[in-house]
Amino acid sequence: MRRFDRVAMQLAKESLSLCEVAFRLCTIEALEMCDAGDLDQLRLLGLPLIHTSETHVTLSTRLTPYEAQRYCVVDIECNASDPAKGQVIEVGAVMLEGQVEVGRFESLVHTKEIPPAIETLTGISLEDVSDAPSLGSVLEAFRLFLGDAVFVAHNVGFDYYFLSTSFEQQGFGPMLNRKLCTIDLAQKTIESERYGLDFLKGMLGIKEEGRHRALADAKSAAEIFLTSLEQLPPEVCTAEDLIYFSKPNPKKRKIKPKKT
């Protein structure tokens, strides 16, 4: 998907002709099932495209103030660390809009295998998921919930890759959502010795609601995300500015918290 990333990065900076975007996307194997010229189909896959003229498009995140953007803060539990060897067993998500929670998603997922170590870690047993909906039905419902919101997670690379691969395995196509990591963002906005979820929860006084359960961890990540938004520098104006600012950059110093 590197070719897709190059297209998305360019759309994050400027408008491109829809014909050019469609031509470049249709050459990507993972998008062969999609009509690359159909904005509605691309939005269903999570790409937030909007028209800037009759012939040109850009990402809505490039023009939307970060305060007004929809962010879906996600956490998953899995029975293996590799989607080729296991599957999602729980999905939890909090939808934020205008920095206000507007929805939640939570579901266990049916599976026939939960290793003892995973059961000990999460507290999720085979009995718990025996009557849970299938992976396909949960992913279908979650995709509708997610829409084209910015995908946010603590260590976003794992959750995003695992879910996107799972979508493809189920025949739903990959995720094309813009994404943001709360670890990276917190490192630039919150002074802390460590940036693991549990450590930040303790430091920020976030209430413990269920360690290593998807919705509880998604809610904690959402609180960390909202705390970070209070410490942004003035040059961050749009959602795309926020995504760019959050990315690791060793040449930039961390932003010190504002004095109260």
Side-chain angles (χ1 to χ4, degrees):
M1 293 291 284
R2 289 183 180 179
R3 282 184 292 169
F4 167 75
D5 290 337
R6 288 195 287 269
V7 176
M9 287 175 62
Q10 193 171 354
L11 285 166
K13 298 176 181 178
E14 60 183 335
S15 296
L16 298 175
S17 76
L18 181 57
C19 289
E20 178 185 353
V21 172
F23 174 77
R24 292 170 66 179
L25 293 183
C26 74
T27 64
I28 299 172
E29 183 178 355
L31 299 178
E32 287 180 346
M33 44 73 69
C34 174
D35 180 352
D38 187 333
L39 264 61
D40 288 335
Q41 282 197 38
L42 293 172
R43 290 191 192 106
L44 283 174
L45 295 178
L47 188 64
L49 280 178
I50 58 171
H51 275 286
T52 54
S53 71
E54 289 186 4
T55 59
H56 283 63
V57 294
T58 193
L59 298 181
S60 63
T61 46
R62 175 175 163 246
L63 304 177
T64 303
Y66 77 83
E67 303 97 329
Q69 176 65 43
R70 288 174 68 88
Y71 304 94
C72 190
V73 189
V74 182
D75 187 76
I76 59 174
E77 303 299 336
C78 310
N79 60 8
S81 59
D82 185 342
K85 299 178 181 178
Q87 66 160 81
V88 175
I89 60 173
E90 187 176 40
V91 181
V94 176
M95 185 69 76
L96 302 174
E97 184 174 354
Q99 301 180 58
V100 175
E101 183 180 323
V102 295
R104 291 183 182 181
F105 183 95
E106 181 181 24
S107 181
L108 289 167
V109 183
H110 180 75
T111 182
K112 295 181 179 179
E113 182 179 358
I114 298 180
I118 299 298
E119 182 174 346
T120 299
L121 180 69
T122 64
I124 300 172
S125 68
L126 284 175
E127 184 179 357
D128 293 327
V129 300
S130 61
D131 294 324
S134 68
L135 177 61
S137 61
V138 172
L139 290 179
E140 183 177 18
F142 177 67
R143 169 147 266 170
L144 291 174
F145 178 82
L146 173 64
D148 61 3
V150 175
F151 185 104
V152 180
H154 212 67
N155 187 20
V156 72
F158 173 79
D159 298 79
Y160 192 96
Y161 170 73
F162 206 109
L163 280 171
S164 186
T165 302
S166 299
F167 278 126
E168 290 191 81
Q169 291 171 341
Q170 294 292 317
F172 296 139
M175 284 199 304
L176 304 182
N177 299 68
R178 304 298 286 152
K179 58 183 182 289
L180 185 153
C181 183
T182 49
I183 294 178
D184 295 337
L185 183 60
Q187 287 176 339
K188 293 192 174 185
T189 56
I190 299 172
E191 289 287 339
S192 178
E193 295 178 10
R194 300 195 298 275
Y195 290 90
L197 187 64
D198 288 340
F199 190 87
L200 286 176
K201 283 165 61 176
M203 192 191 77
L204 297 174
I206 296 173
K207 183 179 178 182
E208 183 73 66
E209 294 190 26
R211 191 167 180 266
H212 293 298
R213 291 302 299 267
L215 182 59
D217 283 352
K219 289 165 63 178
S220 296
E223 292 197 45
I224 293 168
F225 175 70
L226 292 174
T227 299
S228 290
L229 294 188
E230 297 173 359
Q231 308 294 340
L232 296 177
E235 61 265 25
V236 176
C237 299
T238 68
E240 205 57 51
D241 289 340
L242 177 61
I243 293 168
Y244 179 78
F245 170 76
S246 71
K247 293 179 179 179
N249 186 339
K251 295 182 180 180
K252 288 189 177 181
R253 297 179 62 186
K254 296 177 184 176
I255 301 298
K256 292 184 178 181
K258 297 175 183 177
K259 294 182 180 180
T260 56

